[in-house]
Amino acid sequence: MQGKSKVVFGRFRSEVVAELTAFGDAVGRSSHELEGMASTVQDTFVPMGFARGEAAKLSVTMTKLAVDTASFNNANDTDTIKAFQSALVGNHETVRRFGVVITQATLDQELLNMGIEGGAKAASNAEKVQARLNLITAGVSDAHNDAARTAGSFANQSRALMAALKELAAGIMA
């Protein structure tokens, strides 16, 4: 995973790792797992036309949002980021379970809100991905900061324990 992270984040990796480590410490998640989640999303953003630095920021944002959404819905963090990633490239069904409804009409409206006329047909891949990200972010607004807000709950304490064990295992293997 760290090899992939070094490649997909390039010179931005240290910033990404620092931010995800701080977030992981605050919400009781494994920084290695968060880095893996962000790497997967980064590997989607860059080929879709985002600059590596911009993609790195979006990957961190998406990872945090996925953790908050998973916490809010008592779902698995990794499954949630995979659902978000799938929705970013057009498989909108994957995020409906989180209350996010993306249709052609809502996508076209968001593109128009972004100043792109002509809807999805006129938009670049990066613009469509950004519009989907905006819709996902708005659609899960109730979940924002839920992992930190509920860090003391049994479910999140259990996740924190598992994260600590994963961090220990990663430290031993290094």
Side-chain angles (χ1 to χ4, degrees):
M1 181 279 305
Q2 289 178 335
K4 178 180 181 177
S5 177
K6 288 176 185 174
V7 171
V8 299
F9 289 117
R11 64 185 176 96
F12 302 99
R13 182 175 180 261
S14 60
E15 297 166 32
V16 168
V17 170
E19 190 167 347
L20 291 174
T21 298
F23 178 70
D25 291 345
V27 300
R29 298 301 193 278
S30 162
S31 60
H32 297 288
E33 223 171 86
L34 294 173
E35 184 181 355
M37 291 167 61
S39 294
T40 297
V41 179
Q42 176 80 356
D43 206 19
T44 300
F45 282 131
V46 173
M48 296 297 282
F50 287 87
R52 199 164 298 277
E54 181 184 5
K57 290 176 186 172
L58 290 173
S59 295
V60 169
T61 299
M62 266 317 257
T63 300
K64 291 177 177 181
L65 187 60
V67 169
D68 283 335
T69 302
S71 172
F72 189 74
N73 290 283
N74 200 26
N76 178 282
D77 295 344
T78 305
D79 292 345
T80 303
I81 195 76
K82 286 178 184 176
F84 284 4
Q85 180 185 21
S86 187
L88 287 175
V89 297
N91 185 5
H92 305 142
E93 293 292 322
T94 62
V95 292
R96 287 203 177 175
R97 64 184 160 161
F98 305 118
V100 179
V101 179
I102 301 175
T103 64
Q104 190 62 48
T106 59
L107 182 61
D108 287 343
Q109 182 60 54
E110 183 59 28
L111 288 164
L112 188 59
N113 294 346
M114 292 168 54
I116 299 156
E117 294 185 25
K121 290 180 181 179
S124 70
N125 279 336
E127 290 166 335
K128 287 185 271 190
V129 169
Q130 183 64 57
R132 290 179 185 118
L133 177 57
N134 294 349
L135 291 167
I136 291 168
T137 302
V140 297
S141 61
D142 287 345
H144 293 207
N145 299 312
D146 188 76
R149 191 172 47 248
T150 61
S153 71
F154 177 75
N156 281 331
Q157 284 293 307
S158 297
R159 289 181 179 127
L161 175 60
M162 293 305 297
L165 292 172
K166 287 177 183 176
E167 292 288 318
L168 177 64
I172 291 170
M173 299 302 285

